Amino acid sequence: MSTSSAPLPEPAVPYAPVHRPPAGRARRRWHPAPAGVLAALALFVAVRAAGVVAVAATSRLSGRPLTKNLAHSWDSTWYLHIATHGYGRLIWITKTGEVQTDWAFFPLYPALVRAVTAVVPLSPGAAGLLLAWSAAVVAAWGVYAIGHHVYGRAVATALVALWASLPHSVVLTLAYTEPLFAALAAWCLYAVLKGRWLLAGSLAALAGLSRPSGIAAVAAVLVAAGHEIVRRRGRVPPGLWAGAVLAPLGWVGYVLWVGRRTGDLFHGYFRVQSAWSSRLDFGIGALRFLKALFLHGGGVVYPLALVVVATGVLLFCLLCLERAPLPLVVFAGALVLLVVAVSGPFASKPRFLLPAFPLLIPVALALVRTWRARRPKALLLGGTLTAVSLAYGTFLTAIAHQPL
């Protein structure tokens, strides 16, 4: 094809959402496998598999076992212990005398690990990795489905590629809960966009059982349902009401269960989290971190964590300006709010933002525009981001000794 016959770059208008949540039954069809999804998933798997190979090679050179780096690091040890022995069997006394218990960790992931080991001859660590890797692919599939539904095939592919290449995307290949939460949240949001309220509420309930930040998926369902009720003046199907009732049950149920076990029904869980230095302080902890960082420095991990969090806040503002669908804005906004307003280890905050894939929509839109206008530049940007992701992910997992 000659360059004169190549299609010209399209104007900015077509990049507005091409599919709004439909009102008619005929447009509410469930399309979980839109065109191009296999290519996007192949790209995602290739990037993350390269990350595993890089971690394996570095682990071998450094003499650290690969299984320890991938399946038995930091929070993974707590989840796998819960899967093997149940709750209430593991505590840790900090240097300040705080008693950290395993009740801080939500139950869905360890329950699934236990179920897999009951039917498949795998160790808990191998089962945890199998679940995490499978959930990561399902999550990428959901991210693509949302991107395709709202913006079209090109943006959906860019969205998956960007999500696979984030600096902390190495977490998607570890025995952590982020892949499972991201998978449940992505398909929950897709169900909301498709008007499948009962399914959305059920997935939000499961997301609420996977992580403390599962409340973000619950908020997305409840706000979207409330908006629909107001918009239609209460004339909504029973499934919407049922989905709204189901959505918070997982998160609220576990919080109350922990409260009952501690003897303080409504505050017990939050006291458990407080022992892990995780409490709502409206950003005071983040300001203290900034002060310490500027006064004493922080190597590589902490400054980059600050850059990632600041970028997340900026991307949320851009997401709002793009007028993205309400459920996506609420979900991403809730995760950003939790990261900024809740104290905790700052090095882990980029990991907490990893499931907030809607934040990447403005970047995906810009990348597609660049691809159509200046393809070599887009390839250079994508390749650079992927290389940085693989290198930094390997450093975090196989070299650095700071909590991830």
Side-chain angles (χ1 to χ4, degrees), residues 55-116:
V55 171
T58 306
S59 298
R60 184 176 182 83
L61 291 174
S62 63
R64 297 180 65 183
L66 176 62
T67 55
K68 179 175 178 58
N69 286 332
L70 294 181
H72 297 276
S73 60
W74 304 106
D75 288 2
S76 298
T77 59
W78 289 82
Y79 283 113
L80 297 181
H81 192 276
I82 295 168
T84 305
H85 303 287
Y87 280 100
R89 303 291 184 87
L90 182 61
I91 64 171
W92 177 261
I93 309 298
T94 68
K95 295 179 180 179
T96 60
E98 293 278 15
V99 179
Q100 296 177 340
T101 69
D102 53 15
W103 289 332
F105 299 91
F106 275 52
L108 183 59
Y109 179 67
L112 291 175
V113 171
R114 190 182 187 104
V116 170

Side-chain angles (χ1 to χ4, degrees), residues 15-64:
Y15 291 97
V18 295
H19 294 293
R20 294 294 186 186
R25 180 180 300 177
R27 297 181 63 193
R28 289 182 182 269
R29 294 177 182 174
W30 183 262
H31 295 293
V37 65
L38 292 181
L41 291 181
L43 177 61
F44 176 83
V45 170
V47 173
R48 294 313 335 141
V52 173
V53 171
V55 171
T58 306
S59 298
R60 184 176 182 83
L61 291 174
S62 63
R64 297 180 65 183

Side-chain angles (χ1 to χ4, degrees), residues 185-282:
W187 286 104
C188 168
L189 295 171
Y190 184 71
V192 171
L193 294 175
K194 285 291 189 177
R196 301 294 183 92
W197 294 102
L198 191 58
L199 178 59
S202 301
L203 291 173
L206 290 174
L209 284 171
S210 65
R211 287 193 52 76
S213 52
I215 192 66
V218 176
V221 173
L222 293 181
V223 172
H227 178 267
E228 190 73 4
I229 291 169
V230 172
R231 187 181 69 85
R232 300 176 63 176
R233 299 181 180 180
R235 293 189 291 271
V236 295
L240 187 148
W241 294 103
V245 170
L246 278 173
L249 293 185
W251 192 89
V252 172
Y254 182 70
V255 168
L256 293 179
W257 180 81
V258 173
R260 185 172 179 271
R261 293 289 296 270
T262 61
D264 187 349
L265 185 62
F266 297 107
H267 302 98
Y269 169 78
F270 302 102
R271 290 180 178 175
V272 167
Q273 284 288 2
S274 182
W276 289 82
S277 300
S278 178
R279 60 182 67 88
L280 180 65
D281 64 0
F282 302 100

